[in-house]
Amino acid sequence: MAKVFISYTGVDRAWAHWIGVTLRDNGHVPFVHEWEVGAGQNVPRWMEQRIREADHLLGVFSNAYARGVYSNAERWAAYWQDPEGRDGFLVPVEVETVTDWPPLARPLNRLSLVGKTEGEAEEALLAFLEPPAPPATRPPFPGAAPSATSTAPAAGGNGSGTPSSFIDRSEPLPAARPTLPSAESSAGASGGGGGGRSKPPGEVPSGADEVPDPSDRDAFEAWLRSKPGSCSVVIAARAALRALPFVRWRKLTENDAATIALPIFRATAVSRFASVYTNHKTANAADNAAVDMSIAAEITDIDLDAVRAEAAAKAAARFAAYAVARAGDAKAAATAAVYAGDATGFAATAATRADARQLSRGVPPAQLARVPLWPTETDGIPSALTERRNELAADLGRLGSHWRVWLNWYDEILAGSPPSPERSEAWDAAFTDVNEPLPWDDGPEAVNLAIQARLDALSVEEASAEIPDQTAAPVRVEERGGKVASVRDRDSPLRASERDFEAWREPVVEHIQELASGDFAEGTNHSRIRDRLVSLGRLLPGDIADVKERQFRIGYEIERFERLIAAYRSGGDDMPAMNAASLEDLEALRIALSMGVDKLERWGEFRRLAAADPKREGEADREAVGEAMDEMAADMERKPAYFDPELPASFRFLAEAVKDPLGATKTIVYGAVKSVENLFSFLGRRALGLGRKVFDEAEKPIPKAVAASLLLGLADAALKLSEALPQGWAWLEPLLASLARSSGL
């Protein structure tokens, strides 16, 4: 006995129920959705499960059934179960004379119950489902005279009971475009066209550029067959994407969102992915999306004449997925293009032809897939589509804020999405099952939140990949005592022995003290030189560990000192006069300082990096850098619970040094910029959950949320500093955007 899925339209419900009861009473197991699916239950899930369980799908054929989107989708599901017709999965049973059999059913052995009595119909139906077998008794010799007991072939069949072979697997789609309801009944309903029978206004002759009119499906299919399969995939994907907004989103309920909206996005997303990444394996994901889309089309087989454009938009999505699933099938692509034209009032037909011309001119399919969806040569986005896109935004918002993820996706595709770190293969794959399945059975919210989680994770990966590592600079940052603090340099190495360092330092300090108390004593008109001498006289003495800790301040003071001497030598208008002997004394001190300060390893490493400066950060706008650092210092001072007081103090010192009109060298500016970069590197990595994983038992680490909040508080000043650089920080805005999203700001 067989399990039989009974496929029918509402018009033929009585026949379907009679067939179901007849099969049940004779030991078969009929699957009739009205007998099994209760209120609020998931119809698509039931259909998918039962079709997989069934031995046959029995189609109750009438003219209404032959035209219906609902029944058409079920027949497609049956076709994919048995594409060559070898297992007899699709069983056509005619209950009303069908004037135009669908192409999928034409080659199949079928049964007609038209004109039969109930007893005859029951006998014929049960016999038709019996597997073919040789006769139980020896047949009469064919050469003998005809016998009165000879029988004619079974009605509607070929007499053998054996199903005719189906079309070859390489030809998986109908030979002619499946019938849609008449254009007259849907005129003005939603901008739909006339089913491909009329031509778009102002159409270009079909021979132009050797690209036929896509509304002529057979000719366009033949053209696509002359191209690689990737051309069919991109044509189908872009056609379906153009038609997508023409679904009647305003009429969708929350239940419809699961059974209609989600499958449409699923099918278009996987076909779009396949069109961009032509070498990726997408067939399984596309096949599942196509089946899901077929069920979505079934659900809305109600008052079809009023929803022609919507049905066409759904069909375009379905055939786009089939084009991918069947390795760039030209027939599926051509069919998707025709349906997209129907849905958009032929606007998509012109756009599809423009795409085809690009392919004809040698544009790679993957490149075409990334350009704006509506070509400028066809006057760009049609006004009707703009209106529909706005309706789409409003209606998806009504269904729930989680739908925003799909609206953002569609806007990206609409505008064109050239390759970028933000729009990578992983971003496109996030909307599909290509790498990992999405929870489609759990409903729209679960799927959409899963996609958003993927995008958030990608955002973190992209942001963290771009954040520069900390580098040698006056300020490097660490966490100490639960606060953000400067890295200590007390234990940093010397590039000489301590005895050699002392041998250099002692005479230098003596010389500084001599100058500060002599020619440059307090009250002279060389106050700027005196300030540098006093600072150096305070910073250089003491334990060597203390000097190491102060090495960047020492280095900065020496940089400023050298700059002042150069200003004295050039004799600027605002520089006081200085006798030659004093100038020579200063020059001797400068040489001595330069020879010894590089003995401090961290400073020496920094000087080498500053001299290279490949991004010319030392050439940044000094005033802007100084102002930004003062702003950051002020913000840190307002948050003493999180920032060690030495850190804002160091930023104040750097800001003052950078803004010194005579003392600010490129090295000083470079060091200030790198110090801010180090702070953002530390906070950014901590906010993204990177960095140290192990802390001392007594230490309370800075949480991710706190690090994100601290960083965002410094963001405005950092953006100003970035703008002051010859080459701004490309990593900064993606980092801030990622943190703002994860913080819900």
Side-chain angles (χ1 to χ4, degrees):
M1 295 296 102
K3 295 178 180 179
V4 183
F5 185 103
I6 300 179
S7 172
Y8 61 98
T9 66
V11 173
D12 303 312
R13 180 178 289 105
W15 269 109
H17 287 193
W18 179 86
I19 290 171
V21 170
T22 299
L23 294 178
R24 183 196 65 192
D25 291 348
N26 286 275
H28 295 287
V29 180
F31 297 147
V32 178
H33 79 269
E34 290 173 302
W35 297 353
E36 299 189 28
V37 183
Q41 291 183 327
N42 191 316
V43 176
R45 187 180 298 174
W46 175 87
M47 288 180 175
E48 184 174 4
Q49 178 183 342
R50 287 309 198 194
I51 287 175
R52 286 177 177 171
E53 291 180 33
D55 300 307
H56 302 287
L57 186 148
L58 187 152
V60 181
F61 273 82
S62 64
N63 283 324
Y65 182 84
R67 289 196 302 267
V69 173
Y70 186 108
S71 51
N72 183 41
E74 288 182 343
R75 292 196 302 274
W76 270 107
Y79 168 73
W80 295 125
Q81 289 280 87
D82 181 21
E84 296 186 0
R86 292 175 179 171
D87 298 328
F89 185 75
L90 176 57
V91 178
V93 176
E94 184 183 42
V95 298
E96 172 193 272
T97 302
V98 177
T99 56
D100 184 16
W101 280 88
L104 282 178
R106 287 175 193 165
L108 300 183
N109 186 19
R110 55 185 180 261
L111 170 68
S112 178
L113 301 182
V114 177
K116 284 182 167 52
T117 65
E118 182 172 2
E120 292 171 339
E122 181 172 351
E123 182 180 356
L125 176 65
L126 297 175
F128 194 60
L129 288 176
E130 288 295 323
T137 60
R138 183 180 180 86
F141 177 59
S147 170
T149 59
S150 297
T151 57
N158 57 18
S160 68
T162 304
S164 303
S165 61
F166 202 72
I167 52 178
D168 185 81
R169 188 176 184 85
S170 65
E171 296 280 347
L173 297 170
R177 175 173 166 260
T179 306
L180 283 174
S182 64
E184 291 78 11
S185 62
S186 61
S190 53
R197 288 182 294 275
S198 59
K199 300 296 180 185
E203 111 180 26
V204 180
S206 62
D209 295 336
E210 299 182 358
V211 175
D213 180 0
S215 65
D216 183 346
R217 205 206 70 170
D218 291 340
F220 194 55
E221 176 193 338
W223 182 84
L224 285 171
R225 285 190 183 281
S226 70
K227 305 293 180 185
S230 55
C231 293
S232 290
V233 170
V234 72
I235 287 291
R238 286 169 65 80
L241 286 162
R242 291 177 183 122
L244 185 148
F246 287 82
V247 173
R248 297 184 305 164
W249 299 101
R250 281 179 294 183
K251 294 186 177 292
L252 295 182
T253 64
E254 287 189 17
N255 185 59
D256 293 333
T259 58
I260 299 174
L262 201 59
I264 291 173
F265 280 115
R266 181 182 186 181
T268 50
V270 72
S271 60
R272 145 75 188 184
F273 180 91
S275 70
V276 177
Y277 306 101
T278 56
N279 294 323
H280 212 294
K281 293 182 179 179
T282 52
N284 287 341
D287 209 11
N288 291 335
V291 170
D292 201 17
M293 189 62 244
S294 295
I295 295 172
E298 296 171 356
I299 301 303
T300 55
D301 188 27
I302 300 169
D303 192 20
L304 183 61
D305 287 348
V307 291
R308 180 182 186 81
E310 176 177 346
K314 293 172 186 173
R318 184 167 77 254
F319 282 101
Y322 281 138
V324 177
R326 297 298 172 252
D329 188 274
K331 187 170 290 183
T335 304
V338 171
Y339 275 131
D342 278 346
T344 61
F346 290 113
T349 303
T352 296
R353 194 170 198 183
D355 285 349
R357 288 190 178 116
Q358 292 297 316
L359 295 172
S360 184
R361 293 166 188 158
V363 173
Q367 180 179 326
L368 176 63
R370 289 189 176 278
V371 304
L373 203 53
W374 293 92
T376 54
E377 64 186 88
T378 59
D379 300 325
I381 299 176
S383 57
L385 184 129
T386 301
E387 180 181 343
R388 289 307 183 92
R389 184 259 167 233
N390 293 338
E391 290 176 2
L392 172 64
D395 295 321
L396 287 180
R398 175 177 54 78
L399 292 172
S401 59
H402 53 88
W403 284 98
R404 167 61 59 177
V405 69
W406 284 111
L407 183 64
N408 291 342
W409 170 82
Y410 188 72
D411 283 345
E412 289 284 346
I413 307 307
L414 194 63
S417 55
S420 69
E422 296 80 20
R423 298 295 175 260
S424 61
E425 178 178 330
W427 181 85
D428 281 305
F431 298 87
T432 74
D433 294 334
V434 169
N435 293 331
E436 185 178 352
L438 285 162
W440 303 104
D441 288 344
D442 296 339
E445 186 168 7
V447 172
N448 297 345
L449 292 179
I451 292 172
Q452 187 59 60
R454 290 180 177 184
L455 297 178
D456 289 343
L458 284 175
S459 179
V460 168
E461 290 176 13
E462 292 160 2
S464 61
E466 295 296 324
I467 298 174
D469 293 328
Q470 291 197 57
T471 189
V475 174
R476 289 176 300 118
V477 182
E478 66 179 359
E479 183 176 341
R480 191 169 63 247
K483 295 183 178 182
V484 184
S486 299
V487 173
R488 294 284 174 83
D489 285 321
R490 297 180 63 83
D491 297 326
S492 63
L494 286 172
R495 298 178 66 191
S497 66
E498 290 193 5
R499 185 171 64 180
D500 287 345
F501 184 77
E502 289 286 11
W504 163 78
R505 182 174 63 158
E506 288 179 6
V508 167
V509 171
E510 289 178 4
H511 194 179
I512 289 171
Q513 293 171 345
E514 178 185 336
L515 290 171
S517 60
D519 292 347
F520 303 98
E522 189 172 2
T524 65
N525 59 350
H526 301 295
S527 60
R528 284 178 289 195
I529 284 287
R530 175 177 171 76
D531 289 344
R532 304 285 75 74
L533 292 172
V534 170
S535 292
L536 287 167
R538 185 176 64 251
L539 293 169
L540 280 170
D543 291 342
I544 289 181
D546 293 331
V547 174
K548 291 178 182 178
E549 186 69 21
R550 300 190 291 261
Q551 63 185 285
F552 280 95
R553 289 197 175 223
I554 293 169
Y556 262 45
E557 291 295 352
I558 293 172
E559 286 283 321
R560 298 172 74 181
F561 180 68
E562 290 179 337
R563 184 72 178 265
L564 273 174
I565 293 175
Y568 271 106
R569 286 195 175 280
S570 64
D573 292 340
D574 59 343
M575 300 301 297
M578 181 183 294
N579 62 58
S582 296
L583 193 56
E584 288 303 317
D585 267 351
L586 292 177
E587 180 64 20
L589 177 61
R590 183 194 68 77
I591 293 171
L593 288 168
S594 298
M595 290 175 60
V597 72
D598 282 347
K599 298 179 186 298
L600 298 165
E601 178 65 32
R602 296 260 199 260
W603 172 259
E605 178 187 3
F606 164 70
R607 279 285 299 269
R608 289 191 294 275
L609 293 174
D613 191 13
K615 296 182 179 178
R616 302 178 9 251
E617 289 171 309
E619 300 175 19
D621 183 320
R622 294 185 301 103
E623 287 297 323
V625 173
E627 291 296 331
M629 297 196 75
D630 274 333
E631 287 183 34
M632 292 183 197
D635 187 78
M636 289 187 277
E637 289 162 353
R638 289 192 292 270
K639 301 170 183 174
Y642 300 109
F643 291 101
D644 185 275
E646 288 183 3
L647 190 57
S650 296
F651 270 51
R652 293 284 191 195
F653 166 75
L654 293 171
E656 187 265 335
V658 164
K659 291 190 284 187
D660 181 354
L662 293 177
T665 64
K666 290 183 180 180
T667 299
I668 287 174
V669 177
Y670 174 85
V673 170
K674 287 300 181 185
S675 294
V676 175
E677 186 178 272
N678 286 346
L679 174 61
F680 270 68
S681 174
F682 171 81
L683 286 176
R685 291 177 184 278
R686 182 57 54 85
L688 295 174
L690 309 172
R692 276 204 300 166
K693 300 295 183 185
V694 180
F695 295 87
D696 295 336
E697 191 172 325
E699 186 176 357
K700 184 178 180 180
I702 297 173
K704 289 169 56 177
V706 170
S709 176
L710 296 177
L711 191 147
L712 292 172
L714 301 167
D716 286 344
L719 289 168
K720 292 176 186 176
L721 190 153
S722 178
E723 291 175 0
L725 299 173
Q727 301 175 34
W729 284 333
W731 52 268
L732 181 59
E733 289 192 19
L735 170 63
L736 297 177
S738 175
L739 294 179
R741 281 194 299 270
S742 61
S743 303
L745 301 177

